[in-house]
Amino acid sequence: MTETIIIGRVLTSETPQSTRLENVALLVDTDGTIQERIPQGTARYDVLSARRDAVWLPDETLLTPGLTDLHIHAPQWPQAGMALDRPLEDWLGTYTFPLEASYADPAFAEDVYDDLVRTLLENGTTTALYFATIHEEASLVLARTCLRYGQRGFVGLVAMDHPDLCPPDYRQASAREALDATRRFIGAVRALPGNEHGLVQPVITPRFIPACSDALLEGLGELAAELNVRVQTHASESDWEHQHVLNRTGQTDTHALDHFGLLRDHTVLAHAGFLDQTDRALVRNRNAALAHCPISNAFFAGAALPVRDVLDEHVHCGLGTDISGGYSPSIFENARQAVLTSRLLESGTNPHLPASERGLPKSRIDFQEAFWLATRGGAEALGVSAGQLMPGQMFDAVEILGTSGALRLHPKDDAATCAQKIVCHASSQTIGRVWVNGRQIKEKASHPC
Amino acid sequence: MTETIIIGRVLTSETPQSTRLENVALLVDTDGTIQERIPQGTARYDVLSARRDAVWLPDETLLTPGLTDLHIHAPQWPQAGMALDRPLEDWLGTYTFPLEASYADPAFAEDVYDDLVRTLLENGTTTALYFATIHEEASLVLARTCLRYGQRGFVGLVAMDHPDLCPPDYRQASAREALDATRRFIGAVRALPGNEHGLVQPVITPRFIPACSDALLEGLGELAAELNVRVQTHASESDWEHQHVLNRTGQTDTHALDHFGLLRDHTVLAHAGFLDQTDRALVRNRNAALAHCPISNAFFAGAALPVRDVLDEHVHCGLGTDISGGYSPSIFENARQAVLTSRLLESGTNPHLPASERGLPKSRIDFQEAFWLATRGGAEALGVSAGQLMPGQMFDAVEILGTSGALRLHPKDDAATCAQKIVCHASSQTIGRVWVNGRQIKEKASHPC
């Protein structure tokens, strides 16, 4: 790969509340690292922009950091948008587990994962934290698919062995079996041809506490420390799940996971709506993170994550599509739902109650904060050196087309306005080129007319 | 226009809970009326499908009724997605009224309305019920724009004269002036060249009770009866507005509007979240309708419309984008938000409350019901003979591309599955051809690559 120079407007989050819009020249190294970010009006900018190999963004587009999907079940892509009227337990048992079981056939995985990764890239998702299935070969198909398309993928072989909550034909037969499979999978992903720079990483993935025996959870915690691997799981998603773990362990999910050594640097807890302040403090102290999945939560959580508190308490947090608990593969659609849900938490929803008893005051987040969650929040959650388009970071970026679909970006729009319009209106139609690690992995128009 | 034959799969609502998917041949008359709808497997189908002028839909697409936007402020299109963090009163006074005032210049209207109507058609909206502004010439620009593109438009010159709640530079100076302007506008729209068949209709449009004097409301009621014109307004949108009308009139909006003769056949009340059962019974008895605007409501209503009750009580109801109280021009995006909001009403949002005290049980609607609201519900609300693609109805239809964006329609999918997938995933990217009154008014790909 050669050095790249990109000239144009760049929109990034400085804090959740502050967004920056700047005309810059970006010099991207041959290894995909941003070497320089030079503002317009400087001598160095003039030098870089005068180079014949400079890539100029059109006036009506701008560059944002790539989007991170912090929680997505790749095998559930074929049922995105289906059966969302069922309760969580029924949805899992009748629909989801049988679908996931079919990935025993790696050939089935090939087509699904190819379509999914391409769809995510069309939506600007440069980094995804995936749940795969319990099948090693099919899960490696997902890792290879990320590598083939150049997406930054964190891929988890799912570990689930509890006979009470897992179907007999879709679980590992014992903790030992699940631990051995996880260890093999970690080695296999790290050894994949083409993965020398670690674009795709394995992730230790206990499905959730109810689906795992104590022995499995303990063993996975040891494995995470031994092999220095990230961890992901579901935590305190619904009343049922939250109470189930309280009953079984006498602790909240967060404290129980910590007890098992699973709440570590960059562990990602999906949903987490029922975490209390003590739980969140523990998440922050462990440098772990939350994946907020607002579309999915409307169907399965039974409440809203108080994301205002999460931001104010400086707990790492990003967004997850939670395909197929959520139907949309778009992080931007989830970002706007995060804003809407926070408003419905603040106001409450029941018109029969007086306004003063209806909601939870001061719960709203705004569109700039949603933009932060979609970009920098997600990258920081995973500890990926990206999310700000600053020197030293990897060049993971998305070109936003400001005159497509319903999006209308004007040259006079300030940073906050651009963030607001992009969160409200961005769709796959408004995503132009996409880069990961300096490599352009999506063209402007991905569908031939 | 010549007779048209269209062959393919058609998806329509029979009831809110029941969706029908059928392979048919549709024979559309020269005046845009569906003359025949013949199922596959009949002799007549074979005759029609053998004709050389038959238009065959590709296998991966299907036809739905055109979408109806029951509430949209056309002049607010330039601020879609802006300033949604302000309270309603501030949002109106600081942002919205000044923007609307700028339509005193009809040239400003030309560009905005052209862009808006094209955007709505790209989103499959074949019928729109518009609030324009108080300016007669600019509002006629909107009517002419609908005619030019062939969209079924219901266009309201806004009436607002109350000195306490309207800014001095953006209101009619008196009830008399507003009534005269409304009367002139009704005549002018009906007399527009090219509008001989009434594709575009005028609508009597008191902004909302707080912005109108009693004399204006009474006069508009009389005008509606005299000239047989539809009525639209906002009703019981927020705690503030609902209480304001109670204080001023001693009645709810619904009863007050009825008192003034404004609750009539096909009157559309936007928002209506704070209507009680008595109000809704009156709406039903008057054959009036509600415009549910779930995205806007998250910002400005302070509660959710109990749309489950609305459907169960057989009150006419469709969906509104409420540009720019809502940011999205897509009725399908509003349809999925209607589902999500109904779930957040049912479950409640505050995780600190016990589940039993959190929400309003049995409030959910499902995706088939959202599909109904987007198509047949909206058409019936306005009394437009469309929405089912049945013989005798006008051919207002949308081609759904089943392999675009995130949408994946399979030949084996049943009607409920198709409705669910379409509501979850449809965007302007998945809208192919669009017809109104038998005339094709949008090509498959509206943007050149």
Side-chain angles (χ1 to χ4, degrees), chain A residues 48-299:
Chain A
L48 289 173
S49 59
R51 277 180 46 175
R52 293 182 56 185
D53 56 348
V55 176
W56 286 75
L57 297 181
D59 283 348
E60 66 275 13
T61 76
L62 55 75
L63 217 58
T64 71
L67 308 180
T68 295
D69 187 341
L70 272 190
H71 185 57
I72 175 166
H73 294 268
Q76 297 174 18
W77 176 230
Q79 71 174 10
M82 315 253 304
L84 295 175
D85 53 338
R86 309 299 164 122
L88 180 58
E89 308 86 289
D90 180 31
W91 178 81
L92 283 171
T94 310
Y95 295 87
T96 304
F97 288 156
L99 172 60
E100 291 195 13
S102 60
Y103 290 77
D105 174 13
F108 183 65
E110 291 280 359
D111 288 348
V112 173
Y113 292 160
D114 187 89
D115 186 50
L116 174 61
V117 173
R118 280 192 297 108
T119 301
L120 294 182
L121 292 178
E122 283 165 18
N123 281 280
T125 301
T126 52
T127 296
L129 174 57
Y130 292 106
F131 272 61
T133 60
I134 66 170
H135 313 99
E136 292 170 64
E137 188 46 42
S139 302
L140 282 172
V141 168
L142 178 55
R144 279 192 290 259
T145 307
C146 294
L147 274 180
R148 187 167 70 247
Y149 285 106
Q151 188 188 45
R152 197 179 296 287
F154 293 83
V155 180
L157 180 86
V158 176
M160 48 196 282
D161 71 333
H162 204 299
D164 292 354
L165 273 117
C166 305
D169 60 341
Y170 186 56
R171 65 177 176 95
Q172 286 114 344
S174 66
R176 187 72 269 149
E177 196 176 293
L179 290 167
D180 290 347
T182 299
R183 182 184 289 274
R184 278 193 304 270
F185 182 72
I186 292 166
V189 171
R190 288 177 168 171
L192 279 175
N195 199 22
E196 292 71 24
H197 300 290
L199 184 74
V200 177
Q201 298 274 338
V203 183
I204 286 178
T205 307
R207 186 168 201 118
F208 59 161
I209 292 177
C212 301
S213 67
D214 282 10
L216 176 54
L217 294 165
E218 199 174 311
L220 291 172
E222 288 164 7
L223 205 56
E226 177 195 336
L227 300 179
N228 192 26
V229 188
R230 285 178 181 77
V231 175
Q232 64 179 337
T233 191
H234 302 87
S236 298
E237 175 174 3
S238 66
D239 292 286
W240 167 78
E241 191 269 333
H242 185 61
Q243 194 58 47
H244 181 96
V245 174
L246 279 174
N247 294 346
R248 175 174 145 191
T249 70
Q251 295 181 295
T252 62
D253 289 58
T254 309
H255 282 80
L257 290 166
D258 191 54
H259 164 82
F260 289 118
L262 290 164
L263 197 66
R264 294 163 44 84
D265 216 30
H266 305 304
T267 289
V268 175
L269 305 183
H271 308 301
F274 292 92
L275 263 56
D276 62 23
Q277 214 170 347
T278 318
D279 292 326
R280 291 196 298 261
L282 185 57
V283 171
R284 186 183 56 238
N285 291 340
R286 293 287 180 268
N287 202 34
L290 308 185
H292 181 28
C293 309
I295 293 179
S296 166
N297 288 354
F299 295 106

Side-chain angles (χ1 to χ4, degrees), chain A residues 77-78 80-87 115-116 119 122-123 239 273-275 280 294-306 309 323 327-329 333 336-337 339-341 343-355 357-360 364 366-367 403-406 408 410 413 417 420-421 423-425 427-429 445-449, chain B residues 77-78 80-87 115-116 119 122-123 239 273-275 280 294-306 309 323 327-329 333 336-337 339-341 343-355 357-360 364 366-367 403-406 408 410 413 417 420-421 423-425 427-429 445-449:
Chain A
W77 176 230
M82 315 253 304
L84 295 175
D85 53 338
R86 309 299 164 122
D115 186 50
L116 174 61
T119 301
E122 283 165 18
N123 281 280
D239 292 286
F274 292 92
L275 263 56
R280 291 196 298 261
I295 293 179
S296 166
N297 288 354
F299 295 106
F300 294 119
L305 173 74
D309 295 338
I323 297 290
Y327 48 73
S328 172
E333 184 156 357
R336 44 191 180 263
Q337 189 59 43
V339 173
L340 291 170
T341 297
R343 298 294 291 244
L344 293 169
L345 175 59
E346 175 168 300
S347 68
T349 51
N350 184 348
H352 308 316
L353 295 176
E357 295 170 27
R358 201 181 293 144
L360 191 65
R364 70 173 65 181
D366 68 19
F367 292 102
T403 55
S404 283
R408 310 277 183 272
H410 301 299
D413 288 339
T417 302
Q420 194 163 7
K421 287 184 176 180
V423 169
C424 285
H425 296 301
S427 67
S428 56
Q429 218 178 344
S446 46
H447 291 293
C449 285
Chain B
W77 176 230
M82 315 252 305
L84 295 175
D85 52 339
R86 309 299 163 122
D115 186 48
L116 174 61
T119 301
E122 284 167 17
N123 281 280
D239 293 286
F274 292 92
L275 265 54
R280 290 196 298 262
I295 293 179
S296 166
N297 288 354
F299 295 106
F300 295 119
L305 173 73
D309 295 339
I323 296 292
Y327 48 73
S328 172
E333 184 155 357
R336 43 190 181 263
Q337 190 59 43
V339 174
L340 291 171
T341 296
R343 299 294 292 245
L344 292 170
L345 174 59
E346 175 168 300
S347 68
T349 50
N350 185 347
H352 308 315
L353 295 175
E357 295 170 27
R358 201 182 291 144
L360 191 65
R364 69 173 66 181
D366 67 19
F367 291 101
T403 55
S404 283
R408 309 277 182 274
H410 301 300
D413 288 340
T417 302
Q420 193 163 7
K421 286 184 176 181
V423 170
C424 286
H425 296 302
S427 67
S428 55
Q429 217 178 345
S446 45
H447 291 292
C449 284

